[in-house]
Amino acid sequence: MRIVALAGGIGGARFLRGLLAAVGPQDEITVIGNTGDDIHLYGLKVCPDLDTVMYTLGGGIHEEQGWGRADETWSIKAEMKEYGVGPEWFGLGDRDFATHLVRSQMLTAGYSLSQVTEALCVRWNPGVRLLPMSDDRVETHVRITDEQGTRAVHFQEYWVRLHAAVDAEAIIPVGADTAKPAPGVLESLAEADVILFPPSNPVVSIGTILAVPGIREAVAAAPAPVVGLSPIIGGAPVRGMADKVLAAVGVEATAEAVALNYGPDLIDGWLVDTADEHAVAAVEAAGIACRAVPLLMTDVEATAEMARTALALAEQVRHGA
């Protein structure tokens, strides 16, 4: 079975770990990773979502945080602070710095982000084929109004420095409209047996991937069933600020509203948590097969069961059940 998943950061990475536990060694998983969260810091190219997937599946993630390296130290960050070089609000640990140094050196030498990601994965052996959504520069920005007036800030500043405490007025994937899908992205979607939308942020993770011209169209045209898992449980995001960015695009923070925002032209199946069982009828009325199952990723086995259910729903959709 050839499975393609569109993934953002922590939620996507943890779901993928469960997916790996749910499938057999003969199955192939391709992950199309969001690069809209990418940012340049200290002269280095930082790819938070790609790295979170790579570290999580490769056994190097800080489990409690869900991001960054395990057993991290912070000597470089402390030295940068002494020099008065920021930003102080974004923490890069010493081990993490090494990844960004290698990536930046390779990019400067002329390698594409796809080639760099493949090279980095040789060390981590994540068990999936990890592809950036695009080799072109795309950065998600958020329009806000605060004491400085109305302005656009990088998504990382909105989330990490401001903690999403200010309302998001608009989400702008800068550069997405002229970006091209990375090599292998469209081909993997066309050849997939199943396409999955993990419980990643539907606006700034999966939504940014879909904003790259050709990707949304390839998902919609793919012969494979497309099944998503709700990141909203009981009217609130499991983690993160999905409610803030959903409001910015005029979508209510409910499992039903997120499904309808994707729409039946894009997804064929949708899983909601048992707490949102009341949403099943409305989602199915829109032409999307829907099931209510436990969606809290409490451990790898619980997550694997979520993945098995998503694959089973895809099979039911395929056979018109």
Side-chain angles (χ1 to χ4, degrees), residues 60-142:
I61 199 73
H62 187 300
E63 288 291 347
E64 290 74 25
Q65 292 179 162
W67 55 269
R69 290 290 308 280
D71 303 317
E72 188 60 278
T73 54
W74 302 90
S75 299
I76 298 176
K77 187 174 189 294
E79 286 297 307
M80 298 298 278
K81 182 178 180 180
E82 291 299 320
Y83 280 113
V85 176
E88 292 183 19
W89 51 265
F90 198 99
L92 292 181
D94 301 333
R95 290 169 179 255
D96 204 21
F97 252 105
T99 298
H100 310 314
L101 281 167
V102 173
R103 176 186 291 117
S104 301
Q105 284 182 331
M106 291 187 69
L107 290 171
T108 301
Y111 292 95
S112 68
L113 183 58
S114 297
Q115 292 170 320
V116 174
T117 303
E118 182 179 6
L120 293 174
C121 283
V122 170
R123 175 190 176 182
W124 291 102
N125 190 26
V128 302
R129 182 189 184 200
L130 179 59
L131 303 176
M133 66 188 195
S134 177
D135 284 339
D136 299 318
R137 183 172 178 174
V138 179
E139 291 185 0
T140 301
H141 288 207
V142 182

Side-chain angles (χ1 to χ4, degrees), residues 201 232 235-237 240-248 251 253:
N201 191 302
I232 305 294
M241 81 321 290
D243 52 340
K244 289 293 188 74
V245 293
L246 281 167
V251 177

Side-chain angles (χ1 to χ4, degrees), residues 40-73:
H40 284 77
L41 297 170
Y42 311 108
L44 303 177
K45 170 83 165 178
V46 180
C47 300
D49 282 5
L50 292 179
D51 290 346
T52 296
V53 170
M54 187 172 67
Y55 293 158
T56 300
L57 302 185
I61 199 73
H62 187 300
E63 288 291 347
E64 290 74 25
Q65 292 179 162
W67 55 269
R69 290 290 308 280
D71 303 317
E72 188 60 278
T73 54

Side-chain angles (χ1 to χ4, degrees), residues 144-151:
I144 63 171
T145 299
D146 59 8
E147 65 278 0
Q148 298 182 42
T150 299
R151 59 198 177 99

Side-chain angles (χ1 to χ4, degrees), residues 62 77 79 154 204 238 263 267 308 311:
H62 187 300
K77 187 174 189 294
E79 286 297 307
H154 193 287
V204 296
V238 177
I267 60 172
R308 293 186 194 102
L311 294 173

